[in-house]
Amino acid sequence: MWFRWKNRGFMRAAGWALMLATGCVAAVSADLEKEGQESMEEELKTGPRNVVEERVSNLVRRMTLDEKIRYLAGTGFDFEAGLIGETQPLPRLGIPAFRMTDASQGSKLTKGATLFPSTIGLAASFDRELAYAYGRAVAEECRADGFRILLGPGVNIYRVPNGGRNFEYLGEDPCLASQLVVPYIKGVQEAGVIATVKHFAANNCEYFRRSANSVVDERTLREIYFPAFRAAIEEAGCGALMTAYNPVNGDWAAENRWLVTDILRNEWGFDGLVMTDWWSIYDPEKVLTAGVDLEMPYAEILTKENVLAVLESGKITEADLDERVRCILRPCVEFGLLDQPHADPSLHSTWDAHAEVARQIGRESLVLLKNRNSLLPLDRSRVRRIALFGKNAVETSASGGGAAGFEPGDAFVTYEAAIRAAAGEQVEVKVYPEHISAEAAEEADIAVVFLTMVEHEQMDRNFEFDEDSLYTLNRVASVNPNTIAVVSLGGGVEMASWIDDVAALVYAWYPGTYGATALGEMLFGDLNPSGRLPISIEKRPEDTHYFGNYLPEDVILPRTFHGWDSKHERFDVEYREGILTGYRWYDTRGIEPLFPFGFGLSYTSFSYGDLMVTTGSEKGGPVARVRLRVRNDGDRAGAEVVQLYVSDPECDVRRPAKELKGFARIALEPGEEREVEFLLGLQDLSYWSDAAGQWMADPGTFEILIGASSRDIRLQAPFRYESRELY
């Protein structure tokens, strides 16, 4: 609790500093009614601005019961009119509406907003500083048009490749997701916008998300599916959280008291805003007693009649309603939303800087998975003709669909445009988006085939590309040995059947408005690829932990978005793999994936050495300090992602073969060498003990594994941990 309050206090201080910098302290929205302005002036007198709790409690005391009930739901939804969601205004008390916008990849409702590359691409960068810049840029675009609550970021763990919203999330590993979401949220909130971490919890199926009951044991939730949410709350001081559509162990996420009150509120100490996902609740009593504050987008379940009935039944009291309203208001007061105009049009001048952030995300997200005979980078002096195949070359999918996606704008860079710009005038580039010209493919020095498929909220997609895409790829590769495949998706796809036929393979995710520029730069060597897979890619579903344990057998996944009304009888998705998700499954079961977690090629090479592990001696401090040296042995500058895994081979409880516990992205010039240091805490050695009901670290010998991927371990060393601690 102390750490959390220290963090939130820092956020408040940052918020006031930002207001001072922009000259907004004590300013009031011009569109408030006169009565509201007078009330606000009185409020500033009676509740000191820097004492958040006094101000919030004062406002709640002055609310009527009717106002409290009305405040438990939003005002409506009208996307065409620019309304995704907002809180109720109470002009009598000087409380304006607080406007919301989707989502993690940009401000969907801001005019002319930048569409940033997908956040799964951010995860591929393994770059904490870039995560902060990403969040900050998105928030500045929110604030430019007056949207002060961002409905993101999403941190649901990648469990199956088919998931329609995988592109919105941060990969399969809880350590990676946790360490990237914290700087992202800090970037958002230090710009004066409230972040909303979502979707709590175990939301890993989109197609029938209202019907898929996630059956997950407590240890798996705590070790795999909770850590990124917990980090968002405890480390980043996130102001808001959104519940999920799906039931968790039988109870709808927003009606699950164990999730919202026992874990989120009581254990993690969250006292901010908990909102429902849109139209995702059913029982007013369960919602109110679970600890959820705000029904979105309007009062369908938490109507005045329903809330009064629950009050009269004695299941809740007016004091309970007061607490719900306090939780809605608290982050809004903390971030100064009562004291300044919500919109800051001057921030439109930052768009050029945001474009550069977007380009950098695109650069660091590209993952080179195959490069036979060092085909890449291409030499402009030797390449005369390049042929591009596939519609995605010219009608590039900038993002997946749904809440996170929107039009990339007039400045949108397609893959074709990026390659033409990078190739220069001396290289002829021809495009064949609809038909295959075998003659053109054969005559070209280089053939590039672009592959994608529809990914969208409320749908899950196939694991295989469609027949036309595969026919194009196979036909081109059969006549041109220098065929490069470029995959734009938010997750893995079947590639084992054709991977041997292509010379090079690039995973490009979704580029947003500007990110495609990076592909042209990478193909011609102006950019050295440095992205690493934030997921494992399987050879076939039969090899995976989710096989036969995902959707009902009668479900046929669509290839186009089918609309928002798909229905299915409730079914259980039993997470029988437990903690063995992603690389944990492959490494523990001894199964070879097609491409392992953390893998990615470079145009240079790196060597590792001088590993030293020292154990900590101070109670409460790090239990181990890990040092090593990394050297760029090649003739090109490049960035390496050093990954630290921990293994607990002596533990009597089932544990994965290894788990990621740290990573460092370092840029090195040719011949440059640098020391990398990691500090391991007690949590990094621990597992959740169902028997003890606590985290536990058993004494024994642990292995420190340093690698360039989960399957490419370069250095390892044992160290002893002697204590037995619960916490």
Side-chain angles (χ1 to χ4, degrees):
M1 180 68 78
W2 173 85
F3 180 85
R4 180 177 173 279
W5 272 105
K6 180 180 74 169
N7 197 20
R8 288 176 76 91
F10 167 77
M11 289 298 179
R12 289 197 295 274
W16 294 121
L18 183 60
M19 285 187 279
L20 286 168
T22 56
C24 293
V25 174
V28 182
S29 298
D31 59 350
L32 286 177
E33 298 176 12
K34 183 177 181 181
E35 178 185 3
Q37 292 174 328
E38 293 171 351
S39 298
M40 173 63 78
E41 291 170 3
E42 178 63 25
E43 180 62 23
L44 289 171
K45 295 175 185 176
T46 58
R49 206 166 38 218
N50 62 335
V51 183
V52 171
E53 289 304 317
E54 287 186 25
R55 293 190 67 187
V56 170
S57 295
N58 188 29
L59 286 168
V60 174
R61 278 195 302 270
R62 292 160 58 188
M63 284 186 183
T64 65
L65 178 60
D66 182 72
E67 287 171 331
K68 293 173 187 176
I69 293 173
R70 186 151 40 101
Y71 212 62
L72 300 178
T75 64
F77 178 89
D78 187 345
F79 182 73
E80 295 302 320
L83 175 64
I84 286 176
E86 64 182 23
T87 61
Q88 295 281 349
L90 296 176
R92 184 182 72 84
L93 298 174
I95 301 175
F98 305 122
R99 300 166 69 204
M100 305 173 183
T101 181
D102 282 323
S104 310
Q105 293 176 228
S107 181
K108 194 181 186 94
L109 294 181
T110 295
K111 294 175 183 175
T114 305
L115 179 61
F116 291 84
S118 57
T119 37
I120 190 73
L122 172 67
S125 76
F126 283 70
D127 191 331
R128 297 174 185 85
E129 292 182 2
L130 190 60
Y132 176 90
Y134 194 149
R136 178 90 190 198
V138 170
E140 287 176 348
E141 299 202 359
C142 293
R143 191 168 177 178
D145 280 11
F147 299 100
R148 299 299 292 272
I149 300 177
L150 174 69
L151 300 174
V155 294
N156 294 100
I157 292 296
Y158 176 103
R159 180 175 181 260
V160 297
N162 315 74
R165 301 185 82 170
N166 282 333
F167 70 94
E168 294 185 49
Y169 302 142
L170 293 168
E172 73 180 37
D173 184 76
C175 172
L176 176 62
S178 298
Q179 294 198 31
L180 291 181
V181 77
V182 168
Y184 181 100
I185 290 171
K186 287 184 177 181
V188 169
Q189 297 195 159
E190 288 174 21
V193 173
I194 297 169
T196 307
V197 66
K198 64 184 186 182
H199 307 85
F200 193 58
N203 177 199
N204 304 110
C205 173
E206 275 297 306
Y207 192 33
F208 298 118
R209 59 190 181 183
R210 297 175 186 269
S211 307
N213 176 38
S214 298
V215 182
V216 200
D217 65 83
E218 183 172 355
R219 183 184 177 195
T220 298
L221 285 170
R222 288 183 178 273
E223 293 192 22
I224 304 297
Y225 299 100
F226 281 178
F229 287 100
R230 182 179 178 184
I233 301 306
E234 294 186 341
E235 298 178 43
C238 193
L241 175 142
M242 185 188 296
T243 57
Y245 283 106
N246 56 287
V248 180
N249 294 324
D251 291 323
W252 299 105
E255 300 176 5
N256 192 315
R257 182 175 173 83
W258 181 77
L259 280 179
V260 179
T261 291
D262 294 348
I263 299 297
L264 179 65
R265 298 287 196 196
N266 295 341
E267 188 173 320
W268 299 346
F270 183 63
D271 61 3
L273 164 60
V274 176
M275 70 179 77
T276 71
D277 208 335
W278 276 222
W279 303 285
S280 67
I281 56 174
Y282 309 92
D283 186 314
E285 179 183 320
K286 288 184 177 180
V287 174
L288 291 169
T289 56
V292 169
D293 308 310
L294 184 65
E295 178 183 5
M296 293 302 295
Y298 50 76
E300 187 174 62
I301 301 301
L302 298 185
T303 62
K304 181 177 180 180
E305 179 183 23
N306 286 345
V307 175
L308 286 174
V310 179
L311 272 171
E312 291 168 2
S313 74
K315 299 293 185 181
I316 62 169
T317 65
E318 189 169 349
D320 295 321
L321 292 186
D322 291 350
E323 180 58 22
R324 302 281 65 79
V325 175
R326 272 195 292 269
C327 288
I328 299 171
L329 286 172
R330 188 175 286 115
C332 300
V333 173
E334 287 183 355
F335 285 89
L337 272 59
L338 294 180
D339 309 313
Q340 56 185 266
H342 289 180
D344 182 357
S346 70
L347 289 171
H348 281 278
S349 66
T350 62
W351 258 239
D352 287 346
H354 299 167
E356 185 53 37
V357 171
R359 282 188 282 267
Q360 189 62 20
I361 297 165
R363 292 177 181 122
E364 295 190 18
S365 70
L366 291 177
V367 185
L368 179 60
L369 293 177
K370 183 176 180 179
N371 192 18
R372 186 171 63 206
N373 298 327
S374 298
L375 174 66
L376 298 176
L378 303 176
D379 185 341
R380 292 182 181 88
S381 67
R382 301 180 64 182
V383 173
R384 292 287 177 259
R385 297 186 186 88
I386 296 179
L388 310 182
F389 296 90
K391 187 181 294 186
N392 207 44
V394 292
E395 298 178 19
T396 304
S397 294
S399 172
F406 56 91
E407 290 300 315
D410 294 339
F412 178 43
V413 179
T414 66
Y415 287 132
E416 176 197 8
I419 291 173
R420 287 189 185 279
E425 295 182 358
Q426 67 269 39
V427 180
E428 181 184 45
V429 179
K430 290 194 173 182
V431 187
Y432 304 89
E434 298 286 355
H435 69 282
I436 305 168
S437 170
E439 180 181 4
E442 188 172 8
E443 291 179 351
D445 298 305
I446 301 293
V448 186
V449 180
F450 292 86
L451 300 161
T452 190
M453 65 177 87
V454 175
E455 292 186 319
H456 201 289
E457 180 182 357
Q458 198 162 324
M459 71 167 279
D460 289 347
R461 48 84 167 169
N462 289 262
F463 183 56
E464 300 82 15
F465 286 117
D466 64 86
E467 291 183 2
D468 288 345
S469 296
L470 291 175
Y471 177 76
T472 298
L473 177 66
N474 292 332
R475 188 75 180 94
V476 171
S478 69
V479 298
N480 192 318
N482 295 328
T483 296
I484 302 167
V486 177
V487 175
S488 295
L489 286 173
V493 68
E494 196 283 318
M495 297 184 288
S497 64
W498 53 262
I499 187 66
D500 292 339
D501 299 329
V502 299
L505 170 62
V506 181
Y507 238 69
W509 317 105
Y510 292 107
T513 303
Y514 301 102
T517 300
L519 180 65
E521 294 172 341
M522 193 204 84
L523 292 180
F524 287 93
D526 303 317
L527 167 70
N528 191 344
S530 60
R532 302 293 184 264
L533 282 180
I535 58 174
S536 305
I537 299 180
E538 58 270 55
K539 292 179 179 178
R540 55 181 194 152
E542 289 84 353
D543 293 338
T544 70
H545 59 271
Y546 67 81
F547 181 66
N549 184 28
Y550 166 43
L551 290 175
E553 292 183 1
D554 62 337
V555 172
I556 299 175
L557 291 173
R559 289 202 175 272
T560 59
F561 180 56
H562 50 79
W564 298 95
D565 298 321
S566 62
K567 293 180 174 62
H568 197 281
E569 293 182 1
R570 183 185 284 208
F571 59 94
D572 290 343
V573 180
E574 296 184 3
Y575 289 47
R576 291 190 292 264
E577 71 277 7
I579 58 173
L580 300 183
T581 55
Y583 68 87
R584 290 166 166 80
W585 170 268
Y586 296 108
D587 293 351
T588 305
R589 295 296 182 92
I591 300 170
E592 190 74 25
L594 184 65
F595 293 106
F597 174 87
F599 175 75
L601 299 174
S602 171
Y603 295 156
T604 188
S605 60
F606 301 92
S607 59
Y608 296 33
D610 298 336
L611 177 63
M612 180 183 299
V613 180
T614 56
T615 55
S617 57
E618 295 183 15
K619 187 173 180 61
V623 296
R625 185 185 301 270
V626 181
R627 292 188 179 95
L628 68 142
R629 299 194 70 82
V630 180
R631 177 183 171 83
N632 181 348
D633 293 330
D635 57 3
R636 289 176 178 265
E640 176 71 324
V641 176
V642 183
Q643 300 157 45
L644 184 152
Y645 298 85
V646 172
S647 176
D648 185 4
E650 296 182 358
C651 188
D652 293 333
V653 175
R654 181 184 70 163
R655 303 199 69 176
K658 57 179 169 291
E659 299 176 272
L660 184 73
K661 295 300 180 181
F663 57 88
R665 179 188 174 90
I666 55 169
L668 297 172
E669 294 296 320
E672 184 182 3
E673 184 176 293
R674 189 178 303 171
E675 182 178 86
V676 178
E677 180 181 80
F678 298 98
L679 299 177
L680 292 178
L682 184 58
Q683 179 72 45
D684 296 317
L685 308 185
S686 302
Y687 62 89
W688 177 260
S689 169
D690 289 329
Q694 297 190 62
W695 291 95
M696 177 178 289
D698 290 341
T701 299
F702 290 79
E703 289 285 335
I704 299 296
L705 310 171
I706 304 295
S709 79
S710 62
R711 286 295 177 101
D712 183 8
I713 302 302
R714 307 286 184 88
L715 304 169
Q716 63 186 85
F719 84 97
R720 290 286 300 175
Y721 173 69
E722 300 296 349
S723 302
R724 174 184 291 274
E725 295 193 39
L726 299 175
Y727 59 99

